[in-house]
C-alpha cells in the first residue's frame, strides 16, 4: 500500500454509493460499502469489482467496526435517510475519530443540520445542486 | 410512549407541546389534554420553533426511531440550548455511546430486560432501581431464616454490597455494620453488578 492510498467506508449502497465506491477504487484507494439490504449487498459485491461489502445497519457501531472504521481515513454517508447520514457522521467523528466525513443531504430542508455539530465536513445536497444547474440552463436559454 | 409521557407531564401541570409526523397520533392524547400539538418532523427547525423549543425547559425524544431521537436531541441541546434533554434509544450499547457524547439516553430495552430478569431470576429479590447502565442496582429482600442473627457487616462487601436501609415492623433506618438482622426484616441493598450473583445466593430463601 502506498502512502497515498486511503481507506474509505461508504455507508449506503444505492446508486450513489455504488458509483462512489467505483470511483474510489478507480483512484487506487481501498473501499468498503455498508449496505443494510441483503440482496442489494449481494448485487453490489458482484457488480462493483474489487469492492468489499459489509451487510448491516451503518448506524450500528458493531457494523461500522466490521467495516473497519477504526482504521478508516474517510467515511461517506450516502443513504436515503438524512437522520441516518447524520448519525453515521456523528459516530465516525466523535466516537471513532475518523479524519474526514462527507454526507448526502436528501431533503434540502435538513441542510442546516449537516455541520460540524454532527461531525459533517462536507455536506452534499444533490437536489439543491441539480436545481441550481437546471436554473442556470434555463437562464442561459 | 410519547403520549404517555406527554399526558403525565400535563397532569403534573407542566406546559407540554407534542410533535409527531402523523396527526392521528394526537388522538391518543384524549380530549382532556391541555397542551399543544404540532405536525412535523422532530428535527425540522420550523416545527421545533413553532412548538416553542426556544423557551423550553426540557426536550424528550421518544419516537420509534433511534436516529431521529439522537438527531433531535442533539439539535435541542446544542442548537437551542434546552437545559434538559432526554432520548429514548432501544439498543443499550448505542445508548451507552450517546451517553458518553452527552445525551441522557434511556434504553427501554435494557429496562425491560432487567425487569424480566428480576421477575424470572431472583426469587426473594426485587429490583427497585438501577443506576447508570445497571452497573449498580438497588434491590430489596426479606431476611430468610438462614440470615437471621447475622450482622449487616456479614452481608456487605466493601465497594460492592452496601445495606442502605432496614425496615422492621414498618419502621425504617440506616443500619450500622454491627447490627443484627432479624427474620423477615426487609432490607434495601445497593449491589454492584460484579457482586450480583454472589448477593443473590446470600439472600436466597
Amino acid at each position: 500500500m502506498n502512502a497515498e492510498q486511503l481507506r474509505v467506508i461508504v455507508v449506503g449502497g444505492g446508486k450513489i454509493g455504488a458509483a462512489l465506491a467505483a470511483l474510489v477504487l478507480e483512484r487506487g484507494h481501498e473501499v468498503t460499502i455498508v449496505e443494510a439490504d441483503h440482496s442489494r449487498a449481494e448485487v453490489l459485491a458482484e457488480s462493483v469489482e474489487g469492492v468489499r461489502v459489509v451487510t448491516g445497519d451503518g448506524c450500528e457501531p458493531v457494523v461500522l467496526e466490521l467495516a473497519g472504521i477504526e482504521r478508516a481515513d474517510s467515511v461517506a454517508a450516502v443513504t436515503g435517510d438524512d437522520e441516518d447520514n447524520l448519525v453515521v457522521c456523528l459516530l465516525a467523528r466523535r466516537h471513532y475519530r475518523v479524519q474526514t466525513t462527507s454526507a448526502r443531504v436528501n431533503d434540502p430542508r435538513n441542510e442546516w443540520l449537516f455541520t460540524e455539530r454532527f461531525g459533517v465536513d462536507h455536506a452534499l445536497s444533490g437536489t439543491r445542486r441539480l436545481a441550481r444547474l437546471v436554473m442556470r440552463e434555463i437562464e442561459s436559454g | 410512549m410519547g403520549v404517555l409521557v406527554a399526558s403525565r407531564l400535563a397532569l403534573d401541570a407542566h406546559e407540554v407541546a407534542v410533535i409527531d409526523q402523523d396527526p392521528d397520533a394526537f388522538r391518543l392524547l384524549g380530549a382532556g389534554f391541555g397542551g399543544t400539538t404540532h405536525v412535523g418532523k422532530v428535527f425540522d427547525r420550523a416545527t421545533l420553533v413553532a412548538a416553542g423549543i426556544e423557551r423550553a425547559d426540557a426536550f424528550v425524544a421518544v419516537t420509534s426511531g433511534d436516529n431521529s431521537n439522537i438527531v433531535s436531541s442533539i439539535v435541542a441541546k446544542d442548537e437551542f440550548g434546552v437545559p434538559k434533554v432526554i432520548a429514548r434509544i432501544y439498543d443499550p450499547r448505542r445508548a451507552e455511546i450517546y451517553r458518553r457524547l452527552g445525551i441522557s439516553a434511556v434504553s427501554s430495552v435494557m429496562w425491560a430486560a432487567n425487569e424480566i430478569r428480576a421477575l424470572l431470576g431472583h426469587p426473594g429479590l426485587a429490583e427497585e432501581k438501577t443506576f447508570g447502565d445497571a452497573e449498580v442496582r438497588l434491590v430489596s429482600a426479606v431476611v430468610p431464616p438462614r440470615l437471621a442473627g447475622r450482622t449487616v457487616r456479614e452481608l456487605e462487601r466493601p465497594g460492592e454490597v452496601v445495606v442502605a436501609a432496614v425496615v422492621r415492623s414498618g419502621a425504617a433506618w440506616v443500619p450500622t455494620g454491627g447490627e443484627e438482622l432479624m427474620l423477615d426484616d426487609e432490607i434495601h441493598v445497593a449491589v454492584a453488578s460484579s457482586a450480583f450473583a454472589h448477593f443473590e445466593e446470600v439472600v436466597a430463601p
Side-chain angles (χ1 to χ4, degrees):
Chain A
M1 191 175 101
N2 65 55
E4 298 287 300
Q5 197 185 30
L6 299 172
R7 294 191 183 101
V8 181
I9 296 178
V10 174
V11 178
K15 275 179 265 174
I16 295 181
L20 173 60
L23 254 178
V24 173
L25 286 169
E26 208 181 286
R27 297 292 180 91
H29 305 300
E30 202 185 289
V31 70
T32 302
I33 301 184
V34 178
E35 167 58 40
D37 183 78
H38 277 273
S39 50
R40 177 68 192 161
E42 272 171 38
V43 170
L44 285 167
E46 281 164 27
S47 61
V48 187
E49 212 190 303
V51 76
R52 192 176 153 247
V53 182
V54 168
T55 310
D57 179 355
C59 302
E60 205 53 77
V62 190
V63 174
L64 289 172
E65 281 164 28
L66 268 177
I69 195 161
E70 283 145 321
R71 295 171 289 105
D73 301 296
S74 188
V75 169
V78 294
T79 78
D81 273 308
D82 285 339
E83 57 266 49
D84 293 5
N85 293 344
L86 288 168
V87 164
V88 168
C89 289
L90 182 76
L91 286 173
R93 168 60 41 78
R94 285 171 69 184
H95 191 64
Y96 294 106
R97 311 275 165 210
V98 174
Q99 202 99 72
T100 60
T101 62
S102 333
R104 167 189 177 192
V105 183
N106 293 277
D107 185 341
R109 281 174 300 180
N110 292 332
E111 206 161 9
W112 68 288
L113 297 167
F114 288 73
T115 64
E116 184 45 43
R117 175 153 296 148
F118 284 95
V120 180
D121 294 324
H122 310 288
L124 303 148
S125 167
T127 314
R128 191 152 278 179
R129 197 165 279 202
L130 203 61
R132 228 176 275 137
L133 289 174
V134 174
M135 191 63 225
R136 199 180 299 163
E137 298 300 326
I138 291 171
E139 281 180 334
S140 67
Chain B
M1 182 162 189
V3 165
L4 260 180
V5 174
S7 358
R8 288 188 178 201
L9 287 171
L11 275 182
D12 292 339
H14 294 298
E15 196 186 306
V16 185
V18 187
I19 299 173
D20 202 293
Q21 287 192 90
D22 177 11
D24 281 348
F26 303 136
R27 284 193 308 204
L28 295 165
L29 286 166
F33 179 68
T36 58
T37 54
H38 308 266
V39 181
K41 274 218 151 204
V42 287
F43 44 80
D44 177 61
R45 191 179 194 120
T47 309
L48 289 167
V49 170
I53 195 166
E54 286 158 316
R55 38 186 185 81
D57 300 305
F59 183 88
V60 180
V62 288
T63 77
S64 55
D66 278 3
N67 291 344
S68 294
N69 293 342
I70 291 160
V71 170
S72 61
S73 17
I74 289 178
V75 166
K77 183 171 162 278
D78 297 343
E79 181 79 20
F80 292 102
V82 179
K84 201 170 249 181
V85 175
I86 298 164
R88 188 262 296 274
I89 291 169
Y90 280 100
D91 180 342
R93 191 181 156 208
R94 293 171 81 174
E96 183 48 40
I97 288 178
Y98 293 108
R99 238 172 258 139
R100 261 182 266 143
L101 295 181
I103 302 170
S104 298
V106 298
S107 162
S108 44
V109 169
M110 187 58 115
W111 277 351
N114 282 337
E115 196 79 354
I116 289 166
R117 182 164 185 263
L119 286 171
L120 288 176
H122 312 303
L125 260 192
E127 189 162 282
E128 306 192 306
K129 191 171 170 44
T130 62
F131 301 98
D133 210 5
E135 293 89 353
V136 176
R137 304 172 199 195
L138 187 67
V139 296
S140 68
V142 173
V143 172
R146 224 167 10 83
L147 290 183
R150 305 276 286 275
T151 62
V152 165
R153 193 175 294 118
E154 285 176 80
L155 227 66
E156 292 187 329
R157 264 189 176 188
E160 287 187 312
V161 179
V162 174
V163 179
V166 176
V167 184
R168 188 177 298 159
S169 318
W173 68 93
V174 177
T176 58
E179 221 159 295
E180 275 185 21
L181 295 166
M182 287 175 66
L183 181 66
D184 290 338
D185 278 354
E186 184 185 300
I187 51 174
H188 298 263
V189 190
V191 187
S193 59
S194 55
F196 205 77
H198 154 81
F199 184 72
E200 214 179 336
E201 270 175 43
V202 169
V203 295

